[in-house]
Amino acid sequence: MDVTADFMPPTIEWFALSPYITLLAGALVLLLVGSLTPHWPRGWYAIVAATTAGGAAVLAGLQFAALETEAARTLVKGTIAHDRFGLVAIIAVCFTVVMSAMTTSDAASGDSLETYALMLTSALGAAVMVSANDLLVAFLGIEILSLSLYVLAASDRRRAASQEAGLKYFILGGFASAFLLYGIALVYGTTGQTNFGGIATVLADEITVPRNDTMLLAGVALLVVGFGFKTSLVPFHSWTPDVYQGAPTHVTGFMASLGKVAAVVAFVRLFVVSFPARADDWRPVVFVLAILTLVVGSVLAIVQTDVKRMLAYSSISHAGFMLVGLEAAGHISSSSASDGVSSTLTYVVLYSVLALGSFAAVSVVSRGNVATSLDAFRGVAKRQPVFALGFTVLLLAQAGVPLTSGFVAKFGVIRAAVSTESYVLAVIAMVSAVIAAYLYLRIMVSMWLAEPDSSTTATALSLPARVVLVVSVAITLFVGVLPLVVLDLTDSLTTLVR
Amino acid sequence: MYTTLAASTSALGFPILSSLIVVPLVGALALLWFGRSRPEWTKLVALIASITTGALSLWLLQAFDTADAGFQFVSLHEWIPAWGISWHLGVDGISLFLVVLTGVLFPLVIAGVDPHHDERPYLAWLLVLEAGVVGSFVSLDLFLFFVFFEIVLVPMYFLIGGWGYDQRVYAATKFFLFTMAGSAFLLVGIVATAMLSRASVGEITFDVVRLAQEGSLSVDAGRWLFVAFAIAFAVKVPLFPVHTWLPDAHTQAPTAGSVILAGVLLKMGTYGLLRFGVYLFPEASVWARPVLYTLAVIGIIYGAIAATMQKDLKRLVAYSSVAHLGFIVLGTFALTDQALSGGVMQMVNHGVSTGALFLLVGMIYERRHTRQIAELRGLQQVAPVFAGFFMVVMLSSIGLPGLNGFVGEFLILIGSFDTARWWVIVGTVGVVLAALYLLWAYQRVFHGEPDEANRGFAELRLREGLLLSAFVAIIVFTGVYPKPMLSRIEPSVKALVEHVEERTDYRQPQHGVAGE
């Protein structure tokens, strides 16, 4: 029998896929040309990587603009969603690559060919994740991203801690992928679909899949576990502090920003698009996870003594805030559910800028002093007041002080939570933000109010580090003072294509 | 009444309220910009910025229309229309004097008190602080108010932490976290107020005037929201039992920080209770009165007893603040014209007299490097002028007739007597206790024979004398002739009480007081 006879190749919109292709091609070209030529001078790999990511961002931006007139749709037989929600996430992902490439070019250990190639493949994985409209494609994206990040975490070959972080991340991440895959299998088993929209259609009808179908619920629960690991939600967070601390600082910043954007956006898309009919089942789970993540993240953050661990726990606590938005999005019957979707995206994108800037600052301080303990920050303000001021702005933004992007982000999710009447969650989120504020204050105290340690030395800021810090501080303040621009943008992002 | 008047704008054609916020900010930026290359200009720039703000606030006082109970000099611009947030500023009789107090206090402390090190960032933070404080007093948009209310924490944190005394980092952190914890509830409350009023107002708005006039909330919602607001403001005031940050912050802050903290920052709490608590949630304010009276009276008695027991002079003044602010809260929630006028007036009086007390304690510390009462003795002999100033300021804080403290306290007590009789009776004990702890402290510090260490206590210098004279002038003028102040406060206070009466079954007791 000739099977090829009924095979209909899907129509491919090459231009719509161009950001992914650019990222992949960039990675391949860099690897191929780079490995056939002698080691390039410092910074050149970074320029190629940043240009590629920048190009992909521009292409994504062009399509974002084109979507004004065209309709949001799915590509390649419904496996890739082509909507503004995903395109904004792709632009954010490419932005993190550009910024991280700059930080890395400056780092003592990272300026090698593989690092940049892996950054580009991570970005490809992330881009696929955020726009995947099919469980298998989403899984593909997650694996591309995860594998790249495992290697990046271990990329400092001279530090045992880096190796350990990579291995730990790999083993635990492998577990999480298994959970995820099992969840995908169970959901497929119940619904016979892997397509997000298809799953939603099947589940909308309660006769095909009964309300309390155990297999489906188990599948959804396993998906929560898998995504919970990738987004580092409590109780699936235990890898985060160790990996963040062990990995080279420029990689940590990259993981914290790009990894978070990809995982959170994919999480939101999957649950909002596929399981609206089961929102009453998963929303309470998200509610509990959000509370645990917020409280545990912020409480454990304040007892740390290493700045990278502190920021790792703070990233966990921020993930809790993003869940507050997802919880609001789970009130599907409420007219404000779409606020939940857009506020989560706003939060994660703004957070990624803060994380990039903060880790770049940590990287600057730790470069001269290797250690990233809080003591390394003693008296930084005495030696480098402008640098300290910039870092302080980023820290205050993470604490959610008004006139910074952090406040806009927090206000957005709190607003979504309140308008869906999740008052308890909103209050717990704000109180945990206060607890977390203590952590940022500790870093600020160390920088501004502690006497400089004689053993620490001032490190001059290189040009890339300056650029990264200036850009992230500028975005933080600009969005904080004129949130209008971002809000208008994100308000148009609430429709997810099926 | 409020409805029509709220829309009235000033005929000045000049955004005076926005300028009050922008001028200090520009000053702070100027300090950052060229302060490093021209260190000799820093003080001058800070003075110009703060004196300009002060002059503008005095002009505001002069241009203020006494007959108008609504908001004047209104400035209304879109800021984040997508969320119903606007740049909405305005003053009425309640906020007017707080703005003026802020405008006057800052140039005085900038001119009169020098930091021990790093003058430039110190002055820059003070100017940022001034912008934030003025902003919170003139905001008529809940979101905007919250922004200013929160942003004030940052400069204050750095002022205490950077220029304070031994325990400064602890005190600064405690201050920051306590206030921010209160704000956590405030933010949720603010958003919920806007969301829940959507049905009655017709759209989501954070505009205080519209929410108060057009919004109507269910009884339960109103009460919950009031509680959320009250928690935030109770921390700021501070009310018992969330007052514990205050003695630490006051004691560890540099002198200028203490003066500003006592003078205007604490007033953000009492002002918030009045402007947002009572105005937005009249029903809940009437409902919550017994609890607030009780907390206020506990504060009065507890603050007074704690002050009596203090060994540290600055801590003593700090605890006396707790007691004084108890009176203000009592007056605010008594909800009678007299008590409210007294409360608003007392906010200003407390700012002036406690601010001056902190200045004096700071001067003692500069000379003797101690604030322990036990180590000070007989200062009256070696520094009679200094002792004289201390005496006047102290008597104003005690509430001696003829000085400003008396007018406010008397109005509060007399106005609250009908609505909060038993609480007032207990609270009055606090007046006696105030005399006890302050006079006793004065006796220990200034009377007796100076020992060796105290004999070298220097007399008041000219600059210090001028600075204190400004305070004493305000103290005496307000005490002898309070009418200009009361005539500006009263219309707005009456309108507020009417606003409450229109929306609840609460009625202010009528006595046919002389002249009415």
Side-chain angles (χ1 to χ4, degrees), chain B residues 31 38-48 109-115 119 123 463:
Chain B
L31 284 180
R38 299 269 183 164
E40 68 278 9
W41 284 12
T42 42
K43 184 93 178 216
L44 189 67
V45 170
L47 272 177
I48 291 173
V109 295
I110 288 176
V113 190
D114 286 331
E119 194 176 41
L123 292 171
R463 186 171 75 149

mmCIF file with all atom_site columns, all heavy atoms in Angstrom, chain B residues 31 38-48 109-115 119 123 463:
data_model
loop_
_atom_site.group_PDB
_atom_site.id
_atom_site.type_symbol
_atom_site.label_atom_id
_atom_site.label_alt_id
_atom_site.label_comp_id
_atom_site.label_asym_id
_atom_site.label_entity_id
_atom_site.label_seq_id
_atom_site.pdbx_PDB_ins_code
_atom_site.Cartn_x
_atom_site.Cartn_y
_atom_site.Cartn_z
_atom_site.occupancy
_atom_site.B_iso_or_equiv
_atom_site.pdbx_formal_charge
_atom_site.auth_seq_id
_atom_site.auth_comp_id
_atom_site.auth_asym_id
_atom_site.auth_atom_id
_atom_site.pdbx_PDB_model_num
ATOM 1   N N   . LEU B 1 31  ? 22.227 68.353 42.252 1.00 0.00 ? 31  LEU B N   1
ATOM 2   C CA  . LEU B 1 31  ? 23.299 67.948 43.153 1.00 0.00 ? 31  LEU B CA  1
ATOM 3   C C   . LEU B 1 31  ? 24.060 66.754 42.598 1.00 0.00 ? 31  LEU B C   1
ATOM 4   O O   . LEU B 1 31  ? 25.281 66.689 42.664 1.00 0.00 ? 31  LEU B O   1
ATOM 5   C CB  . LEU B 1 31  ? 22.715 67.569 44.514 1.00 0.00 ? 31  LEU B CB  1
ATOM 6   C CG  . LEU B 1 31  ? 22.301 68.721 45.406 1.00 0.00 ? 31  LEU B CG  1
ATOM 7   C CD1 . LEU B 1 31  ? 21.757 68.192 46.708 1.00 0.00 ? 31  LEU B CD1 1
ATOM 8   C CD2 . LEU B 1 31  ? 23.494 69.606 45.680 1.00 0.00 ? 31  LEU B CD2 1
ATOM 9   N N   . ARG B 1 38  ? 31.738 70.722 41.812 1.00 0.00 ? 38  ARG B N   1
ATOM 10  C CA  . ARG B 1 38  ? 31.671 71.997 42.530 1.00 0.00 ? 38  ARG B CA  1
ATOM 11  C C   . ARG B 1 38  ? 31.181 71.762 43.953 1.00 0.00 ? 38  ARG B C   1
ATOM 12  O O   . ARG B 1 38  ? 30.047 72.105 44.287 1.00 0.00 ? 38  ARG B O   1
ATOM 13  C CB  . ARG B 1 38  ? 30.675 72.930 41.832 1.00 0.00 ? 38  ARG B CB  1
ATOM 14  C CG  . ARG B 1 38  ? 31.045 73.259 40.403 1.00 0.00 ? 38  ARG B CG  1
ATOM 15  C CD  . ARG B 1 38  ? 31.876 74.493 40.389 1.00 0.00 ? 38  ARG B CD  1
ATOM 16  N NE  . ARG B 1 38  ? 32.202 74.902 39.042 1.00 0.00 ? 38  ARG B NE  1
ATOM 17  C CZ  . ARG B 1 38  ? 32.656 76.115 38.784 1.00 0.00 ? 38  ARG B CZ  1
ATOM 18  N NH1 . ARG B 1 38  ? 32.780 76.990 39.744 1.00 0.00 ? 38  ARG B NH1 1
ATOM 19  N NH2 . ARG B 1 38  ? 32.981 76.435 37.556 1.00 0.00 ? 38  ARG B NH2 1
ATOM 20  N N   . PRO B 1 39  ? 32.005 71.177 44.805 1.00 0.00 ? 39  PRO B N   1
ATOM 21  C CA  . PRO B 1 39  ? 31.522 70.840 46.148 1.00 0.00 ? 39  PRO B CA  1
ATOM 22  C C   . PRO B 1 39  ? 31.061 72.059 46.938 1.00 0.00 ? 39  PRO B C   1
ATOM 23  O O   . PRO B 1 39  ? 30.193 71.951 47.775 1.00 0.00 ? 39  PRO B O   1
ATOM 24  C CB  . PRO B 1 39  ? 32.731 70.166 46.812 1.00 0.00 ? 39  PRO B CB  1
ATOM 25  C CG  . PRO B 1 39  ? 33.886 70.473 45.947 1.00 0.00 ? 39  PRO B CG  1
ATOM 26  C CD  . PRO B 1 39  ? 33.390 70.778 44.588 1.00 0.00 ? 39  PRO B CD  1
ATOM 27  N N   . GLU B 1 40  ? 31.609 73.242 46.605 1.00 0.00 ? 40  GLU B N   1
ATOM 28  C CA  . GLU B 1 40  ? 31.235 74.413 47.386 1.00 0.00 ? 40  GLU B CA  1
ATOM 29  C C   . GLU B 1 40  ? 29.806 74.865 47.077 1.00 0.00 ? 40  GLU B C   1
ATOM 30  O O   . GLU B 1 40  ? 29.232 75.654 47.810 1.00 0.00 ? 40  GLU B O   1
ATOM 31  C CB  . GLU B 1 40  ? 32.238 75.550 47.156 1.00 0.00 ? 40  GLU B CB  1
ATOM 32  C CG  . GLU B 1 40  ? 32.237 76.168 45.771 1.00 0.00 ? 40  GLU B CG  1
ATOM 33  C CD  . GLU B 1 40  ? 33.052 75.362 44.754 1.00 0.00 ? 40  GLU B CD  1
ATOM 34  O OE1 . GLU B 1 40  ? 33.465 74.240 45.095 1.00 0.00 ? 40  GLU B OE1 1
ATOM 35  O OE2 . GLU B 1 40  ? 33.260 75.856 43.623 1.00 0.00 ? 40  GLU B OE2 1
ATOM 36  N N   . TRP B 1 41  ? 29.249 74.341 45.989 1.00 0.00 ? 41  TRP B N   1
ATOM 37  C CA  . TRP B 1 41  ? 27.895 74.758 45.616 1.00 0.00 ? 41  TRP B CA  1
ATOM 38  C C   . TRP B 1 41  ? 26.803 73.893 46.233 1.00 0.00 ? 41  TRP B C   1
ATOM 39  O O   . TRP B 1 41  ? 25.643 74.257 46.190 1.00 0.00 ? 41  TRP B O   1
ATOM 40  C CB  . TRP B 1 41  ? 27.719 74.713 44.091 1.00 0.00 ? 41  TRP B CB  1
ATOM 41  C CG  . TRP B 1 41  ? 28.367 75.845 43.381 1.00 0.00 ? 41  TRP B CG  1
ATOM 42  C CD1 . TRP B 1 41  ? 29.258 76.743 43.898 1.00 0.00 ? 41  TRP B CD1 1
ATOM 43  C CD2 . TRP B 1 41  ? 28.172 76.221 42.014 1.00 0.00 ? 41  TRP B CD2 1
ATOM 44  N NE1 . TRP B 1 41  ? 29.650 77.645 42.951 1.00 0.00 ? 41  TRP B NE1 1
ATOM 45  C CE2 . TRP B 1 41  ? 28.987 77.345 41.776 1.00 0.00 ? 41  TRP B CE2 1
ATOM 46  C CE3 . TRP B 1 41  ? 27.391 75.724 40.975 1.00 0.00 ? 41  TRP B CE3 1
ATOM 47  C CZ2 . TRP B 1 41  ? 29.040 77.959 40.531 1.00 0.00 ? 41  TRP B CZ2 1
ATOM 48  C CZ3 . TRP B 1 41  ? 27.441 76.340 39.744 1.00 0.00 ? 41  TRP B CZ3 1
ATOM 49  C CH2 . TRP B 1 41  ? 28.266 77.458 39.526 1.00 0.00 ? 41  TRP B CH2 1
ATOM 50  N N   . THR B 1 42  ? 27.179 72.719 46.733 1.00 0.00 ? 42  THR B N   1
ATOM 51  C CA  . THR B 1 42  ? 26.139 71.753 47.116 1.00 0.00 ? 42  THR B CA  1
ATOM 52  C C   . THR B 1 42  ? 25.129 72.359 48.077 1.00 0.00 ? 42  THR B C   1
ATOM 53  O O   . THR B 1 42  ? 23.926 72.297 47.848 1.00 0.00 ? 42  THR B O   1
ATOM 54  C CB  . THR B 1 42  ? 26.760 70.513 47.775 1.00 0.00 ? 42  THR B CB  1
ATOM 55  O OG1 . THR B 1 42  ? 27.773 70.938 48.655 1.00 0.00 ? 42  THR B OG1 1
ATOM 56  C CG2 . THR B 1 42  ? 27.299 69.553 46.768 1.00 0.00 ? 42  THR B CG2 1
ATOM 57  N N   . LYS B 1 43  ? 25.642 72.936 49.145 1.00 0.00 ? 43  LYS B N   1
ATOM 58  C CA  . LYS B 1 43  ? 24.738 73.470 50.153 1.00 0.00 ? 43  LYS B CA  1
ATOM 59  C C   . LYS B 1 43  ? 23.843 74.552 49.554 1.00 0.00 ? 43  LYS B C   1
ATOM 60  O O   . LYS B 1 43  ? 22.646 74.607 49.815 1.00 0.00 ? 43  LYS B O   1
ATOM 61  C CB  . LYS B 1 43  ? 25.585 74.061 51.288 1.00 0.00 ? 43  LYS B CB  1
ATOM 62  C CG  . LYS B 1 43  ? 24.792 74.552 52.445 1.00 0.00 ? 43  LYS B CG  1
ATOM 63  C CD  . LYS B 1 43  ? 24.672 73.470 53.479 1.00 0.00 ? 43  LYS B CD  1
ATOM 64  C CE  . LYS B 1 43  ? 23.913 73.965 54.677 1.00 0.00 ? 43  LYS B CE  1
ATOM 65  N NZ  . LYS B 1 43  ? 24.415 73.410 55.902 1.00 0.00 ? 43  LYS B NZ  1
ATOM 66  N N   . LEU B 1 44  ? 24.464 75.370 48.701 1.00 0.00 ? 44  LEU B N   1
ATOM 67  C CA  . LEU B 1 44  ? 23.722 76.474 48.100 1.00 0.00 ? 44  LEU B CA  1
ATOM 68  C C   . LEU B 1 44  ? 22.582 75.956 47.232 1.00 0.00 ? 44  LEU B C   1
ATOM 69  O O   . LEU B 1 44  ? 21.442 76.421 47.319 1.00 0.00 ? 44  LEU B O   1
ATOM 70  C CB  . LEU B 1 44  ? 24.688 77.326 47.279 1.00 0.00 ? 44  LEU B CB  1
ATOM 71  C CG  . LEU B 1 44  ? 24.111 78.628 46.761 1.00 0.00 ? 44  LEU B CG  1
ATOM 72  C CD1 . LEU B 1 44  ? 23.810 79.562 47.917 1.00 0.00 ? 44  LEU B CD1 1
ATOM 73  C CD2 . LEU B 1 44  ? 25.076 79.275 45.783 1.00 0.00 ? 44  LEU B CD2 1
ATOM 74  N N   . VAL B 1 45  ? 22.907 74.941 46.410 1.00 0.00 ? 45  VAL B N   1
ATOM 75  C CA  . VAL B 1 45  ? 21.880 74.383 45.524 1.00 0.00 ? 45  VAL B CA  1
ATOM 76  C C   . VAL B 1 45  ? 20.731 73.823 46.353 1.00 0.00 ? 45  VAL B C   1
ATOM 77  O O   . VAL B 1 45  ? 19.549 74.074 46.081 1.00 0.00 ? 45  VAL B O   1
ATOM 78  C CB  . VAL B 1 45  ? 22.494 73.290 44.627 1.00 0.00 ? 45  VAL B CB  1
ATOM 79  C CG1 . VAL B 1 45  ? 21.402 72.535 43.885 1.00 0.00 ? 45  VAL B CG1 1
ATOM 80  C CG2 . VAL B 1 45  ? 23.463 73.899 43.646 1.00 0.00 ? 45  VAL B CG2 1
ATOM 81  N N   . ALA B 1 46  ? 21.070 73.051 47.389 1.00 0.00 ? 46  ALA B N   1
ATOM 82  C CA  . ALA B 1 46  ? 20.036 72.464 48.224 1.00 0.00 ? 46  ALA B CA  1
ATOM 83  C C   . ALA B 1 46  ? 19.197 73.543 48.882 1.00 0.00 ? 46  ALA B C   1
ATOM 84  O O   . ALA B 1 46  ? 17.970 73.434 48.959 1.00 0.00 ? 46  ALA B O   1
ATOM 85  C CB  . ALA B 1 46  ? 20.665 71.567 49.284 1.00 0.00 ? 46  ALA B CB  1
ATOM 86  N N   . LEU B 1 47  ? 19.868 74.594 49.323 1.00 0.00 ? 47  LEU B N   1
ATOM 87  C CA  . LEU B 1 47  ? 19.124 75.676 49.960 1.00 0.00 ? 47  LEU B CA  1
ATOM 88  C C   . LEU B 1 47  ? 18.199 76.365 48.979 1.00 0.00 ? 47  LEU B C   1
ATOM 89  O O   . LEU B 1 47  ? 17.039 76.642 49.289 1.00 0.00 ? 47  LEU B O   1
ATOM 90  C CB  . LEU B 1 47  ? 20.105 76.699 50.549 1.00 0.00 ? 47  LEU B CB  1
ATOM 91  C CG  . LEU B 1 47  ? 20.568 76.404 51.964 1.00 0.00 ? 47  LEU B CG  1
ATOM 92  C CD1 . LEU B 1 47  ? 21.578 77.427 52.414 1.00 0.00 ? 47  LEU B CD1 1
ATOM 93  C CD2 . LEU B 1 47  ? 19.379 76.397 52.914 1.00 0.00 ? 47  LEU B CD2 1
ATOM 94  N N   . ILE B 1 48  ? 18.720 76.626 47.777 1.00 0.00 ? 48  ILE B N   1
ATOM 95  C CA  . ILE B 1 48  ? 17.872 77.302 46.784 1.00 0.00 ? 48  ILE B CA  1
ATOM 96  C C   . ILE B 1 48  ? 16.638 76.467 46.501 1.00 0.00 ? 48  ILE B C   1
ATOM 97  O O   . ILE B 1 48  ? 15.506 76.953 46.527 1.00 0.00 ? 48  ILE B O   1
ATOM 98  C CB  . ILE B 1 48  ? 18.667 77.564 45.488 1.00 0.00 ? 48  ILE B CB  1
ATOM 99  C CG1 . ILE B 1 48  ? 19.724 78.627 45.757 1.00 0.00 ? 48  ILE B CG1 1
ATOM 100 C CG2 . ILE B 1 48  ? 17.736 78.002 44.368 1.00 0.00 ? 48  ILE B CG2 1
ATOM 101 C CD1 . ILE B 1 48  ? 20.668 78.845 44.599 1.00 0.00 ? 48  ILE B CD1 1
ATOM 102 N N   . VAL B 1 109 ? 15.887 72.702 58.355 1.00 0.00 ? 109 VAL B N   1
ATOM 103 C CA  . VAL B 1 109 ? 16.869 71.686 58.758 1.00 0.00 ? 109 VAL B CA  1
ATOM 104 C C   . VAL B 1 109 ? 18.066 71.669 57.816 1.00 0.00 ? 109 VAL B C   1
ATOM 105 O O   . VAL B 1 109 ? 19.182 71.373 58.240 1.00 0.00 ? 109 VAL B O   1
ATOM 106 C CB  . VAL B 1 109 ? 16.269 70.263 58.861 1.00 0.00 ? 109 VAL B CB  1
ATOM 107 C CG1 . VAL B 1 109 ? 15.245 70.195 59.957 1.00 0.00 ? 109 VAL B CG1 1
ATOM 108 C CG2 . VAL B 1 109 ? 15.729 69.776 57.562 1.00 0.00 ? 109 VAL B CG2 1
ATOM 109 N N   . ILE B 1 110 ? 17.836 71.999 56.551 1.00 0.00 ? 110 ILE B N   1
ATOM 110 C CA  . ILE B 1 110 ? 18.986 72.014 55.638 1.00 0.00 ? 110 ILE B CA  1
ATOM 111 C C   . ILE B 1 110 ? 19.941 73.136 56.030 1.00 0.00 ? 110 ILE B C   1
ATOM 112 O O   . ILE B 1 110 ? 21.160 72.968 56.058 1.00 0.00 ? 110 ILE B O   1
ATOM 113 C CB  . ILE B 1 110 ? 18.512 72.153 54.173 1.00 0.00 ? 110 ILE B CB  1
ATOM 114 C CG1 . ILE B 1 110 ? 17.858 70.847 53.719 1.00 0.00 ? 110 ILE B CG1 1
ATOM 115 C CG2 . ILE B 1 110 ? 19.671 72.505 53.258 1.00 0.00 ? 110 ILE B CG2 1
ATOM 116 C CD1 . ILE B 1 110 ? 17.263 70.882 52.346 1.00 0.00 ? 110 ILE B CD1 1
ATOM 117 N N   . ALA B 1 111 ? 19.359 74.272 56.397 1.00 0.00 ? 111 ALA B N   1
ATOM 118 C CA  . ALA B 1 111 ? 20.220 75.389 56.780 1.00 0.00 ? 111 ALA B CA  1
ATOM 119 C C   . ALA B 1 111 ? 20.814 75.190 58.163 1.00 0.00 ? 111 ALA B C   1
ATOM 120 O O   . ALA B 1 111 ? 21.933 75.598 58.432 1.00 0.00 ? 111 ALA B O   1
ATOM 121 C CB  . ALA B 1 111 ? 19.410 76.687 56.755 1.00 0.00 ? 111 ALA B CB  1
ATOM 122 N N   . GLY B 1 112 ? 20.065 74.555 59.038 1.00 0.00 ? 112 GLY B N   1
ATOM 123 C CA  . GLY B 1 112 ? 20.469 74.557 60.427 1.00 0.00 ? 112 GLY B CA  1
ATOM 124 C C   . GLY B 1 112 ? 21.270 73.366 60.903 1.00 0.00 ? 112 GLY B C   1
ATOM 125 O O   . GLY B 1 112 ? 21.951 73.449 61.914 1.00 0.00 ? 112 GLY B O   1
ATOM 126 N N   . VAL B 1 113 ? 21.178 72.239 60.217 1.00 0.00 ? 113 VAL B N   1
ATOM 127 C CA  . VAL B 1 113 ? 21.868 71.050 60.710 1.00 0.00 ? 113 VAL B CA  1
ATOM 128 C C   . VAL B 1 113 ? 22.792 70.511 59.633 1.00 0.00 ? 113 VAL B C   1
ATOM 129 O O   . VAL B 1 113 ? 22.352 70.244 58.522 1.00 0.00 ? 113 VAL B O   1
ATOM 130 C CB  . VAL B 1 113 ? 20.847 69.942 61.082 1.00 0.00 ? 113 VAL B CB  1
ATOM 131 C CG1 . VAL B 1 113 ? 21.547 68.824 61.816 1.00 0.00 ? 113 VAL B CG1 1
ATOM 132 C CG2 . VAL B 1 113 ? 19.721 70.515 61.903 1.00 0.00 ? 113 VAL B CG2 1
ATOM 133 N N   . ASP B 1 114 ? 24.072 70.368 59.978 1.00 0.00 ? 114 ASP B N   1
ATOM 134 C CA  . ASP B 1 114 ? 25.013 69.831 58.995 1.00 0.00 ? 114 ASP B CA  1
ATOM 135 C C   . ASP B 1 114 ? 25.260 68.356 59.263 1.00 0.00 ? 114 ASP B C   1
ATOM 136 O O   . ASP B 1 114 ? 25.343 67.928 60.405 1.00 0.00 ? 114 ASP B O   1
ATOM 137 C CB  . ASP B 1 114 ? 26.346 70.575 59.091 1.00 0.00 ? 114 ASP B CB  1
ATOM 138 C CG  . ASP B 1 114 ? 26.225 71.959 58.509 1.00 0.00 ? 114 ASP B CG  1
ATOM 139 O OD1 . ASP B 1 114 ? 25.390 72.140 57.610 1.00 0.00 ? 114 ASP B OD1 1
ATOM 140 O OD2 . ASP B 1 114 ? 26.948 72.860 58.975 1.00 0.00 ? 114 ASP B OD2 1
ATOM 141 N N   . PRO B 1 115 ? 25.375 67.560 58.198 1.00 0.00 ? 115 PRO B N   1
ATOM 142 C CA  . PRO B 1 115 ? 25.713 66.157 58.404 1.00 0.00 ? 115 PRO B CA  1
ATOM 143 C C   . PRO B 1 115 ? 27.189 66.039 58.781 1.00 0.00 ? 115 PRO B C   1
ATOM 144 O O   . PRO B 1 115 ? 27.965 66.967 58.589 1.00 0.00 ? 115 PRO B O   1
ATOM 145 C CB  . PRO B 1 115 ? 25.456 65.546 57.034 1.00 0.00 ? 115 PRO B CB  1
ATOM 146 C CG  . PRO B 1 115 ? 25.717 66.652 56.084 1.00 0.00 ? 115 PRO B CG  1
ATOM 147 C CD  . PRO B 1 115 ? 25.304 67.906 56.778 1.00 0.00 ? 115 PRO B CD  1
ATOM 148 N N   . GLU B 1 119 ? 28.236 65.345 52.473 1.00 0.00 ? 119 GLU B N   1
ATOM 149 C CA  . GLU B 1 119 ? 27.131 66.293 52.450 1.00 0.00 ? 119 GLU B CA  1
ATOM 150 C C   . GLU B 1 119 ? 26.250 66.165 51.206 1.00 0.00 ? 119 GLU B C   1
ATOM 151 O O   . GLU B 1 119 ? 25.029 66.284 51.281 1.00 0.00 ? 119 GLU B O   1
ATOM 152 C CB  . GLU B 1 119 ? 27.703 67.709 52.520 1.00 0.00 ? 119 GLU B CB  1
ATOM 153 C CG  . GLU B 1 119 ? 26.662 68.743 52.837 1.00 0.00 ? 119 GLU B CG  1
ATOM 154 C CD  . GLU B 1 119 ? 27.274 70.117 52.997 1.00 0.00 ? 119 GLU B CD  1
ATOM 155 O OE1 . GLU B 1 119 ? 28.173 70.454 52.202 1.00 0.00 ? 119 GLU B OE1 1
ATOM 156 O OE2 . GLU B 1 119 ? 26.869 70.845 53.904 1.00 0.00 ? 119 GLU B OE2 1
ATOM 157 N N   . LEU B 1 123 ? 22.192 65.727 51.225 1.00 0.00 ? 123 LEU B N   1
ATOM 158 C CA  . LEU B 1 123 ? 21.267 66.769 50.799 1.00 0.00 ? 123 LEU B CA  1
ATOM 159 C C   . LEU B 1 123 ? 20.369 66.282 49.668 1.00 0.00 ? 123 LEU B C   1
ATOM 160 O O   . LEU B 1 123 ? 19.187 66.601 49.620 1.00 0.00 ? 123 LEU B O   1
ATOM 161 C CB  . LEU B 1 123 ? 22.045 68.012 50.370 1.00 0.00 ? 123 LEU B CB  1
ATOM 162 C CG  . LEU B 1 123 ? 22.773 68.726 51.516 1.00 0.00 ? 123 LEU B CG  1
ATOM 163 C CD1 . LEU B 1 123 ? 23.686 69.802 50.968 1.00 0.00 ? 123 LEU B CD1 1
ATOM 164 C CD2 . LEU B 1 123 ? 21.777 69.317 52.491 1.00 0.00 ? 123 LEU B CD2 1
ATOM 165 N N   . ARG B 1 463 ? 23.642 80.742 64.726 1.00 0.00 ? 463 ARG B N   1
ATOM 166 C CA  . ARG B 1 463 ? 22.872 80.015 63.727 1.00 0.00 ? 463 ARG B CA  1
ATOM 167 C C   . ARG B 1 463 ? 21.810 79.140 64.407 1.00 0.00 ? 463 ARG B C   1
ATOM 168 O O   . ARG B 1 463 ? 20.661 79.095 63.973 1.00 0.00 ? 463 ARG B O   1
ATOM 169 C CB  . ARG B 1 463 ? 23.814 79.135 62.896 1.00 0.00 ? 463 ARG B CB  1
ATOM 170 C CG  . ARG B 1 463 ? 23.092 78.479 61.745 1.00 0.00 ? 463 ARG B CG  1
ATOM 171 C CD  . ARG B 1 463 ? 24.035 77.788 60.816 1.00 0.00 ? 463 ARG B CD  1
ATOM 172 N NE  . ARG B 1 463 ? 24.516 76.535 61.394 1.00 0.00 ? 463 ARG B NE  1
ATOM 173 C CZ  . ARG B 1 463 ? 24.836 75.465 60.677 1.00 0.00 ? 463 ARG B CZ  1
ATOM 174 N NH1 . ARG B 1 463 ? 24.755 75.499 59.370 1.00 0.00 ? 463 ARG B NH1 1
ATOM 175 N NH2 . ARG B 1 463 ? 25.261 74.374 61.244 1.00 0.00 ? 463 ARG B NH2 1
#
